Amino acid sequence: MRILFVCLGNICRSPTAEGVLRTKLAKAGLAQRFEVASAGTGDWHVGKAPDARTQAAARKRGYGLSAQRAQQVDPEDFFSRDLILAMDRANLAHLERMRPEGSPAQLALFLDYTGAAVAEVPDPYYGGEAGFDEVLDLVEAGCDALIAEYGGRR
Ligand code: 4NP
């Protein structure tokens, strides 16, 4: 199963989700059944490593994100991924607008898998440090829910 996480800049939320899901899949012995990537709807940070605050918050919980580099969502992604998961509704709406007609990828809000009251992973970029820890809380819950949903199949 090929999963693409999408946020705005691809330097905070979606790289966190990529790193957390990779680690959780490896621990569960499921890594070989998934291909995990992330991208942004915006292009400002293309080629950059994740935000230093994002990396620091992830490192505290044992996730290393330093090898990741930001990329922008490409129309080809709608053919080469099975599941494209948006961090918030604005990015989901952007993806729905750019989706090529007839492309097969399934589009959804990432946190829909958790069944939790929180629907969106809030953008931490302009806020304080606590926002980066909140991203990790939500992303860890979302990844656990994703594995519960798809880890047993195929
Ligand atoms: P992300 O956070 O979408 O979680 O990567 C942001 C990163 C950069 C900007 C906005 C959000 N920015 O405006 O540059």
Side-chain angles (χ1 to χ4, degrees), residues 29-85:
L30 294 168
Q32 69 288 349
R33 288 170 40 200
F34 291 81
E35 186 183 291
V36 186
S38 66
T41 53
D43 68 355
W44 315 284
H45 302 284
V46 167
K48 288 196 205 151
D51 186 282
R53 299 163 296 173
T54 291
Q55 289 198 51
R59 203 177 303 120
K60 279 192 286 179
R61 299 191 193 188
Y63 307 108
L65 309 182
S66 63
Q68 295 186 37
R69 295 296 177 267
Q71 55 181 351
Q72 189 176 26
V73 183
D74 187 278
E76 181 57 33
D77 285 315
F78 292 85
F79 296 93
S80 61
R81 317 287 181 178
D82 298 304
L83 188 56
I84 301 181
L85 297 173

Side-chain angles (χ1 to χ4, degrees), residues 98-115:
M98 74 178 285
R99 170 205 266 287
E101 208 169 314
S103 57
Q106 187 187 335
L107 268 182
L109 259 187
F110 174 40
L111 293 186
D112 278 357
Y113 288 88
T114 63

Side-chain angles (χ1 to χ4, degrees), residues 17-29 61-64 147:
E18 178 183 339
V20 168
L21 185 59
R22 280 232 181 90
T23 299
K24 285 182 177 290
L25 288 170
K27 282 185 180 155
R61 299 191 193 188
Y63 307 108
I147 290 172

Side-chain angles (χ1 to χ4, degrees), residues 6-15 40 44-45 51 53-54 87-88 91 121-126 135:
V6 175
C7 61
L8 182 58
N10 193 213
I11 54 168
C12 297
R13 293 166 291 175
S14 62
W44 315 284
H45 302 284
D51 186 282
R53 299 163 296 173
T54 291
M87 293 292 140
D88 59 31
N91 283 296
V121 183
D123 183 349
Y125 191 68
Y126 293 106
V135 166

